Amino acid sequence: MIQEKLRETIHNATQEWGVRVEDIHLEHPADFTHGDFSTNIAFQIAGRPDTRKSGNEEGKPRELAEKIAEKLRVKESDEIEKIEVAGGGFINFFLSKQFFNKSLDDAIRLGDEYGKNKIFEGKRVIIEYTNANPFKE
């Protein structure tokens, strides 16, 4: 899955400085002109002492995001069209046409099996339904 590949690439880029990141948050921006995925990793690690190895002595997220994005661009794959830094330090990822073509080919080839997984196989799942007024029809 592309999200896991992006997380692994970000993890490897920051780990070169000795920065350990446990939870790399990726999201779909509300405005797709900001990319297909976005991360706030620079904000998460900017003020940490272990980030100083990156040369980001003042803890500025924007500068750190630029350094991380530069490392990611070197490791860029054919699945990513471009990587941009936006705002105070968000890193935006734009997926390539090749990625979407391959995904569409996979969906056609796999048919009804596309998207199935066994993540919750053998596990119990609770589905809760909440309502502001549960005793009303």
Side-chain angles (χ1 to χ4, degrees):
M1 187 168 239
I2 190 68
Q3 290 101 326
E4 290 307 315
K5 287 182 182 179
L6 288 172
R7 283 187 181 96
E8 182 180 339
T9 305
I10 294 166
H11 176 76
N12 293 339
T14 57
Q15 197 170 19
E16 290 177 15
W17 297 321
V19 177
R20 294 188 54 86
V21 181
E22 299 302 322
D23 183 32
I24 298 171
H25 182 72
L26 285 172
E27 65 180 25
H28 291 288
D31 182 353
F32 282 113
T33 62
H34 297 171
D36 297 294
F37 289 100
S38 180
T39 184
N40 65 349
I41 189 70
F43 292 100
Q44 285 181 282
I45 66 175
R48 292 174 30 177
D50 56 355
T51 305
R52 292 201 173 110
K53 292 178 184 176
S54 71
N56 191 33
E57 297 295 330
E58 297 177 23
K60 295 181 180 176
R62 173 82 187 199
E63 291 176 12
L64 187 56
E66 292 285 355
K67 290 179 182 182
I68 294 170
E70 192 59 39
K71 284 186 169 288
L72 295 174
R73 286 182 193 112
V74 170
K75 299 174 183 182
E76 202 169 311
S77 71
D78 62 343
E79 295 172 322
I80 300 172
E81 184 177 316
K82 68 179 176 176
I83 300 171
E84 288 182 347
V85 175
F90 290 95
I91 302 172
N92 297 333
F93 300 90
F94 295 81
L95 300 177
S96 69
K97 289 179 184 177
Q98 291 88 349
F99 169 79
F100 290 111
N101 286 339
K102 184 182 178 310
S103 296
L104 185 57
D105 287 344
D106 289 346
I108 292 168
R109 182 175 43 81
L110 295 172
D112 290 341
E113 295 300 309
Y114 181 75
K116 289 186 179 180
N117 62 54
K118 296 182 181 189
I119 292 173
F120 296 111
E121 186 175 50
K123 295 182 181 179
R124 288 184 172 197
V125 177
I126 297 174
I127 300 173
E128 294 184 15
Y129 173 76
T130 60
N131 188 335
N133 192 351
F135 301 107
K136 189 175 183 181
E137 286 184 28

